[in-house]
Amino acid sequence: MTSPNPEHMSIAEHLGRTARLWRRVANSELEPLGLSYPRWSALWMLRRLGDGISQSELALALEIELGSLMRTLKHLEAQGLITRRCSPEDKRTRTVHVTDSGSDLMSRIEARVLRVRKHLLSGIAAEDFDALERVLVTINQNAMDYTATTTDDHGTDQ
């Protein structure tokens, strides 16, 4: 199977391909630590959002369904990297907590993720990277706005 010719790809195809390739490179770097993409991305998000976040907040931040996250958390718990507890404020809410082993592993993840990021962004001038980041943020916001405004009238012509 041949790779698509980048000259004939749309912006959406470029974005999707870039995300898939970035994930593939990151996965190859993190697989030796016993982590799949869902597992390391959940740990990485926990590091960013802080210990003790609710499962539903974590799923929302990862933009995945709670059911998918539950399977991932079950694996992370079995690996001894996290624990889940009932919230003292609401027994129906479970919070996610990183264990000492999880914290140690997250430091190793961070070093590897930063190494991947540095490699993938090498050769890109700071001003080009800043412009790319602004463009991606704008595209993301436009997509969220579009989704929000078309949810009610999906399938109807305006």
Side-chain angles (χ1 to χ4, degrees):
M1 181 176 198
T2 61
S3 296
N5 184 343
E7 297 168 4
H8 299 117
M9 292 172 61
S10 70
I11 290 173
E13 289 169 321
H14 278 292
L15 289 171
R17 182 173 192 228
T18 300
R20 285 188 303 276
L21 288 170
W22 192 304
R23 185 182 301 176
R24 185 184 310 159
V25 171
N27 271 339
S28 70
E29 187 68 27
L30 295 169
E31 278 177 341
L33 300 177
L35 296 171
S36 62
Y37 174 77
R39 292 181 202 175
W40 70 257
S41 62
L43 285 172
W44 187 253
M45 187 62 73
L46 272 171
R47 175 170 225 144
R48 291 175 58 206
L49 298 176
D51 197 51
I53 190 170
S54 76
Q55 294 176 146
S56 57
E57 290 172 313
L58 183 57
L60 187 62
L62 290 166
E63 297 181 347
I64 62 173
E65 296 293 325
L66 185 57
S68 296
L69 178 62
M70 299 300 276
R71 287 185 293 280
T72 298
L73 294 178
K74 180 180 175 186
H75 290 292
L76 290 171
E77 205 165 28
Q79 287 178 277
L81 302 174
I82 64 156
T83 59
R84 292 182 280 177
R85 303 180 199 139
C86 289
S87 169
E89 294 85 30
D90 182 354
K91 298 294 182 200
R92 296 171 296 172
T93 301
R94 292 180 45 102
T95 56
V96 183
H97 303 269
V98 180
T99 64
D100 289 341
S101 295
S103 290
D104 292 341
L105 183 61
M106 287 200 316
S107 295
R108 294 171 59 203
I109 290 170
E110 182 175 25
R112 289 174 180 238
V113 166
L114 292 176
R115 184 171 53 231
V116 165
R117 184 180 193 271
K118 181 179 178 182
H119 180 78
L120 295 180
L121 299 178
S122 66
I124 300 174
E127 60 272 6
D128 290 341
F129 178 76
D130 292 343
L132 173 63
E133 191 169 33
R134 283 191 308 276
V135 168
L136 292 174
V137 166
T138 301
I139 291 171
N140 289 335
Q141 187 59 56
N142 290 344
M144 290 187 309
D145 293 347
Y146 183 85
T147 302
T149 60
T150 60
T151 300
D152 293 334
D153 50 56
H154 185 63
T156 62
D157 292 329
Q158 294 279 322

